[in-house]
mmCIF file of all heavy atoms in Angstrom:
data_model
loop_
_atom_site.group_PDB
_atom_site.id
_atom_site.type_symbol
_atom_site.label_atom_id
_atom_site.label_comp_id
_atom_site.label_asym_id
_atom_site.label_seq_id
_atom_site.Cartn_x
_atom_site.Cartn_y
_atom_site.Cartn_z
ATOM 1 N N SER A 194 36.946 17.595 7.989
ATOM 2 C CA SER A 194 37.089 16.145 8.235
ATOM 3 C C SER A 194 38.596 15.809 8.178
ATOM 4 O O SER A 194 39.396 16.654 7.729
ATOM 5 C CB SER A 194 36.409 15.368 7.146
ATOM 6 O OG SER A 194 37.201 15.227 5.985
ATOM 7 N N PRO A 195 38.965 14.622 8.565
ATOM 8 C CA PRO A 195 40.390 14.210 8.500
ATOM 9 C C PRO A 195 40.919 14.297 7.070
ATOM 10 O O PRO A 195 42.150 14.301 6.838
ATOM 11 C CB PRO A 195 40.418 12.773 9.017
ATOM 12 C CG PRO A 195 39.153 12.664 9.815
ATOM 13 C CD PRO A 195 38.167 13.569 9.221
ATOM 14 N N TRP A 196 40.038 14.335 6.026
ATOM 15 C CA TRP A 196 40.494 14.292 4.636
ATOM 16 C C TRP A 196 40.325 15.674 4.025
ATOM 17 O O TRP A 196 40.387 15.855 2.794
ATOM 18 C CB TRP A 196 39.692 13.221 3.875
ATOM 19 C CG TRP A 196 39.651 11.988 4.678
ATOM 20 C CD1 TRP A 196 40.639 11.083 4.735
ATOM 21 C CD2 TRP A 196 38.548 11.543 5.505
ATOM 22 N NE1 TRP A 196 40.226 10.091 5.649
ATOM 23 C CE2 TRP A 196 38.988 10.341 6.114
ATOM 24 C CE3 TRP A 196 37.332 12.060 5.829
ATOM 25 C CZ2 TRP A 196 38.184 9.664 7.036
ATOM 26 C CZ3 TRP A 196 36.499 11.358 6.745
ATOM 27 C CH2 TRP A 196 36.967 10.181 7.316
ATOM 28 N N GLY A 197 40.042 16.675 4.865
ATOM 29 C CA GLY A 197 39.831 17.993 4.387
ATOM 30 C C GLY A 197 38.320 18.353 4.363
ATOM 31 O O GLY A 197 37.471 17.461 4.613
ATOM 32 N N ALA A 198 38.005 19.545 3.995
ATOM 33 C CA ALA A 198 36.589 19.978 3.996
ATOM 34 C C ALA A 198 35.826 19.240 2.927
ATOM 35 O O ALA A 198 36.331 18.970 1.819
ATOM 36 C CB ALA A 198 36.464 21.497 3.752
ATOM 37 N N GLY A 199 34.642 18.815 3.242
ATOM 38 C CA GLY A 199 33.838 18.112 2.284
ATOM 39 C C GLY A 199 32.451 17.777 2.836
ATOM 40 O O GLY A 199 32.012 18.351 3.839
ATOM 41 N N ARG A 200 31.767 16.871 2.152
ATOM 42 C CA ARG A 200 30.424 16.445 2.609
ATOM 43 C C ARG A 200 30.307 14.935 2.408
ATOM 44 O O ARG A 200 31.045 14.343 1.600
ATOM 45 C CB ARG A 200 29.345 17.217 1.875
ATOM 46 C CG ARG A 200 29.413 17.031 0.346
ATOM 47 C CD ARG A 200 28.526 18.044 -0.333
ATOM 48 N NE ARG A 200 28.833 18.110 -1.724
ATOM 49 C CZ ARG A 200 28.191 17.409 -2.696
ATOM 50 N NH1 ARG A 200 27.266 16.497 -2.295
ATOM 51 N NH2 ARG A 200 28.515 17.505 -3.932
ATOM 52 N N PRO A 201 29.349 14.351 3.108
ATOM 53 C CA PRO A 201 29.228 12.902 3.027
ATOM 54 C C PRO A 201 28.649 12.406 1.675
ATOM 55 O O PRO A 201 27.901 13.188 0.996
ATOM 56 C CB PRO A 201 28.228 12.559 4.104
ATOM 57 C CG PRO A 201 27.463 13.847 4.378
ATOM 58 C CD PRO A 201 28.422 14.991 4.085
ATOM 59 N N GLY A 202 29.007 11.213 1.296
ATOM 60 C CA GLY A 202 28.341 10.578 0.132
ATOM 61 C C GLY A 202 26.944 10.237 0.596
ATOM 62 O O GLY A 202 26.596 10.289 1.741
ATOM 63 N N TRP A 203 26.119 9.802 -0.384
ATOM 64 C CA TRP A 203 24.729 9.548 -0.090
ATOM 65 C C TRP A 203 24.498 8.397 0.884
ATOM 66 O O TRP A 203 23.773 8.478 1.838
ATOM 67 C CB TRP A 203 23.954 9.298 -1.362
ATOM 68 C CG TRP A 203 22.516 8.930 -1.161
ATOM 69 C CD1 TRP A 203 21.671 9.402 -0.190
ATOM 70 C CD2 TRP A 203 21.730 8.040 -1.962
ATOM 71 N NE1 TRP A 203 20.433 8.831 -0.326
ATOM 72 C CE2 TRP A 203 20.454 7.999 -1.413
ATOM 73 C CE3 TRP A 203 22.059 7.281 -3.094
ATOM 74 C CZ2 TRP A 203 19.484 7.194 -1.987
ATOM 75 C CZ3 TRP A 203 21.032 6.501 -3.637
ATOM 76 C CH2 TRP A 203 19.754 6.494 -3.081
ATOM 77 N N HIS A 204 25.201 7.330 0.671
ATOM 78 C CA HIS A 204 24.853 6.078 1.392
ATOM 79 C C HIS A 204 25.275 6.140 2.844
ATOM 80 O O HIS A 204 24.617 5.521 3.663
ATOM 81 C CB HIS A 204 25.538 4.893 0.722
ATOM 82 C CG HIS A 204 25.391 4.879 -0.812
ATOM 83 N ND1 HIS A 204 24.134 4.872 -1.361
ATOM 84 C CD2 HIS A 204 26.235 4.929 -1.797
ATOM 85 C CE1 HIS A 204 24.287 4.879 -2.695
ATOM 86 N NE2 HIS A 204 25.548 4.889 -2.972
ATOM 87 N N ILE A 205 26.336 6.835 3.137
ATOM 88 C CA ILE A 205 26.894 6.700 4.504
ATOM 89 C C ILE A 205 25.940 7.224 5.567
ATOM 90 O O ILE A 205 25.897 6.778 6.723
ATOM 91 C CB ILE A 205 28.259 7.453 4.616
ATOM 92 C CG1 ILE A 205 29.033 7.021 5.846
ATOM 93 C CG2 ILE A 205 28.093 8.959 4.538
ATOM 94 C CD1 ILE A 205 29.579 5.661 5.768
ATOM 95 N N GLU A 206 25.109 8.200 5.216
ATOM 96 C CA GLU A 206 24.262 8.790 6.222
ATOM 97 C C GLU A 206 23.315 7.791 6.799
ATOM 98 O O GLU A 206 23.082 7.776 8.024
ATOM 99 C CB GLU A 206 23.433 9.961 5.618
ATOM 100 C CG GLU A 206 22.466 9.538 4.574
ATOM 101 C CD GLU A 206 21.562 10.685 4.133
ATOM 102 O OE1 GLU A 206 20.518 10.798 4.761
ATOM 103 O OE2 GLU A 206 21.907 11.462 3.205
ATOM 104 N N CYS A 207 22.737 6.949 5.992
ATOM 105 C CA CYS A 207 21.734 5.980 6.524
ATOM 106 C C CYS A 207 22.430 4.935 7.438
ATOM 107 O O CYS A 207 21.844 4.514 8.455
ATOM 108 C CB CYS A 207 20.976 5.310 5.411
ATOM 109 S SG CYS A 207 19.803 6.434 4.664
ATOM 110 N N SER A 208 23.629 4.555 7.075
ATOM 111 C CA SER A 208 24.363 3.632 7.948
ATOM 112 C C SER A 208 24.614 4.260 9.292
ATOM 113 O O SER A 208 24.380 3.709 10.341
ATOM 114 C CB SER A 208 25.691 3.231 7.318
ATOM 115 O OG SER A 208 25.478 2.363 6.220
ATOM 116 N N ALA A 209 25.151 5.507 9.208
ATOM 117 C CA ALA A 209 25.507 6.148 10.491
ATOM 118 C C ALA A 209 24.316 6.453 11.366
ATOM 119 O O ALA A 209 24.313 6.255 12.587
ATOM 120 C CB ALA A 209 26.299 7.462 10.107
ATOM 121 N N MET A 210 23.274 6.961 10.746
ATOM 122 C CA MET A 210 22.127 7.394 11.540
ATOM 123 C C MET A 210 21.330 6.178 12.079
ATOM 124 O O MET A 210 20.879 6.219 13.202
ATOM 125 C CB MET A 210 21.211 8.323 10.765
ATOM 126 C CG MET A 210 21.896 9.662 10.457
ATOM 127 S SD MET A 210 20.765 10.894 9.843
ATOM 128 C CE MET A 210 20.623 10.354 8.132
#
Side-chain angles (χ1 to χ4, degrees):
Chain A
S194 84
W196 314 281
R200 59 193 165 91
W203 175 35
H204 313 302
I205 195 71
E206 63 171 271
C207 287
S208 289
M210 291 191 284

